[in-house]
């Protein structure tokens, strides 16, 4: 396995862009009404699936598999974990046994 920083950053950017597009489309086209709950349920399923990609990238940052630059790996991992409301450093430490 050879780490590729550019490819890793493109995967991270792609995941963040997909999350943003899904959120924008929901904000723009799904009304905040009780009758729209099926659409919000569908949105939650789609957004949750898309967020799994970002979680996998954050997970790899925690394992040190994202890139060779520790500062970049830490920054990406910290940013993604923060958006997902998961503490990066304590998660990384407790998860190291895996």
């Amino acid at each position: 396995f050879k780490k590729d920083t550019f490819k890793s950053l493109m995967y991270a950017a792609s995941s963040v862009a997909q999350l943003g597009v899904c959120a924008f489309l929901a904000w723009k086209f799904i009304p905040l009404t009780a009758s729209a709950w099926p659409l919000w349920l569908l949105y939650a399923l789609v957004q949750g699936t898309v967020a799994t990609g970002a979680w996998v990238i954050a997970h790899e940052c925690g394992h040190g598999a994202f890139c060779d630059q520790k500062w970049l790996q830490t920054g990406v991992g910290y940013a993604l974990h923060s958006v997902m409301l998961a503490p990066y450093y304590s998660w990384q430490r407790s998860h190291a046994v895996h």
Side-chain angles (χ1 to χ4, degrees), residues 8-87:
S8 294
L9 285 171
M10 289 302 100
Y11 282 129
S14 173
S15 288
V16 169
Q18 290 173 45
L19 287 168
V21 166
C22 286
F24 174 77
L25 291 174
W27 171 73
K28 191 75 174 162
F29 297 110
I30 304 177
L32 289 173
T33 61
S35 62
W37 74 264
L39 294 174
W40 284 108
L41 180 61
L42 179 62
Y43 164 73
L45 292 170
V46 170
Q47 189 73 318
T49 302
V50 171
T52 301
W55 173 254
V56 168
I57 293 167
H59 181 264
E60 294 308 314
C61 288
H63 281 295
F66 183 78
C67 66
D68 289 324
Q69 295 81 8
K70 187 167 174 55
W71 66 271
L72 179 59
Q73 185 164 259
T74 299
V76 171
Y78 184 82
L80 290 175
H81 274 82
S82 295
V83 168
M84 291 183 256
L85 303 177

